[in-house]
Structure formats: structure tokens, C-alpha cells
Amino acid sequence: AQSVTQPDIHITVSEGASLELRCNYSYGATPYLFWYVQSPGQGLQLLLKYFSGDTLVQGIKGFEAEFKRSQSSFNLRKPSVHWSDAAEYFCAVGAGDYGGSQGNLIFGKGTKLSVKP
Amino acid sequence: DAGVTQSPTHLIKTRGQQVTLRCSPKSGHDTVSWYQQALGQGPQFIFQYYEEEERQRGNFPDRFSGHQFPNYSSELNVNALLLGDSALYLCASVLGSGYEQYFGPGTRLTVT
């Protein structure tokens, strides 16, 4: 069965420090992978996506992620965290292929990021 | 360019009641998906509507039903509410066979 695992429930980093959020997936075919961010009381904003090609993808707000097929991972990174990055981060895999579209997304349980001043 | 909008923002219902949540997709999008996000969890796929028909459905009981209108807006209906239905309900839209789903701010449903 398709699944997404985010091993870290809560991470705290100092402002200016680097960040890596882990994501492992289980999916039979070539995955379509996404990272979303959710601020308190808000919906989900797409940070970046991987469909094919270059395994290092760049997103908004200075985030990047690397797809590693051998490790079934899609970890999110940022070289220098800002206080405004404090939020919850969700990794997701596109599933249920319907005519080429990713009909639905399977999400991990999320990682809450806190930033120390 | 208006994004995905949802109404109402918050809703409080009693067990056994019925509720209707509404979603307007991003301009130009014709496909709407609904997700349930329980507290401390990631969103779970409920169903997706395209061309006014349910195209895919997740593992949710028949108490959850939906509708899509000719203008692509959508409703989510939940009958016989249970305490466990308390959650943030998210709507997402996409254009046809596109891959990037855009999410609305959600409706917070509390069942007492």
C-alpha cells in the first residue's frame, strides 16, 4: 500500500541554522512527490514538487528537496532558517493515477518546525 | 486571481446532524478534491469531482457525499455526524489532469 512516513514529529532549530526534514515513501511506480507547508489555521501551500528529471528540485522560500530512489526518500532542506519558517510541513505522494492526473495525494503526518531566536 | 475559497470558516454541529461545506475552485480549475485533516494528522483524501461526477473516492463511509456544480464549485455533505468527524476539511482544486493541487484555507468542523 502507498504510504508516506515523516519520522520527526517536532523539530526545533535556531534561526540561521540549516534544516533537513525527512520523508520516506512507499509507492510501486514512479512517484510524484510534494512538500506542503501549513501555518496555524491555514490551508496548505505547495513548496515544491518532483515529477521526473533532475533529482534536486528547488522550491519557493529558499527550500529544496532531493529525490533518492534507492532510499525511497524525498528530504526537504533549507540552508538558513528564518523565524517565519515556523510551521507544519507535510510530505505527500501522488497516487491513484487517473488518466495521467494524480487524483489524490497521500500525506505523511507532518513535522512541526519551531525556530529559536 | 482568486485562489480556492471555502465557507464557512468554522462550524459547530451536534452529533446526528447533517452539515454542508462549500468550495469554490481556483479560477480556471475544473477538478475539486476534498480532504479531512484530523488534529495532529495529515490530510486524508475523501473524494474528487470532475465534470460533476465523483471520479475517485478514498476510504470514507457513504455518510460523506458530494456534489459539483456546472461552475465547478463543490459541496461536501456529511450526514449523521459523529464526534470523530471533528476536523479541518480542506478543498483542493486542479485543472483537469494537472498535478499541482491548490488548497483552500479549510473549514473547521466541531461536532459536540
Side-chain angles (χ1 to χ4, degrees), chain A residues 38 49 96 98 100 103-105, chain B residues 35 37 48 55-56 99-100:
Chain A
Q38 185 176 38
K49 60 190 181 289
Y98 189 97
N104 67 83
L105 297 174
Chain B
Y35 292 80
Q37 186 179 17
Q48 184 182 74
R55 183 159 73 174
Q56 285 194 47
Y99 303 111
E100 297 182 33

Side-chain angles (χ1 to χ4, degrees), chain B residues 6-108:
Chain B
Q6 293 185 242
S7 63
T9 305
H10 296 90
L11 204 52
I12 300 175
K13 290 286 188 178
T14 304
R15 275 179 299 176
Q17 286 188 317
Q18 177 265 343
V19 68
T20 297
L21 311 181
R22 295 176 177 82
C23 170
S24 291
K26 181 177 169 64
S27 178
H29 286 184
D30 57 6
T31 303
V32 172
S33 298
W34 286 93
Y35 292 80
Q36 180 195 66
Q37 186 179 17
L39 199 60
Q41 302 293 315
Q44 282 195 293
F45 175 72
I46 303 174
F47 42 53
Q48 184 182 74
Y49 276 83
Y50 173 70
E51 291 189 341
E52 302 181 49
E53 291 193 357
E54 185 182 290
R55 183 159 73 174
Q56 285 194 47
R57 188 178 183 91
N59 188 26
F60 278 80
D62 291 345
R63 297 187 298 109
F64 289 78
S65 63
H67 187 77
Q68 186 178 35
F69 299 93
N71 66 354
Y72 307 125
S73 66
S74 176
E75 289 182 348
L76 164 66
N77 301 293
V78 187
N79 294 322
L81 284 167
L82 304 174
L83 295 179
D85 296 331
S86 295
L88 180 68
Y89 288 85
L90 296 165
C91 170
S93 73
V94 67
L95 174 61
S97 298
Y99 303 111
E100 297 182 33
Q101 297 192 24
Y102 291 80
F103 284 81
T107 294
R108 173 72 62 186

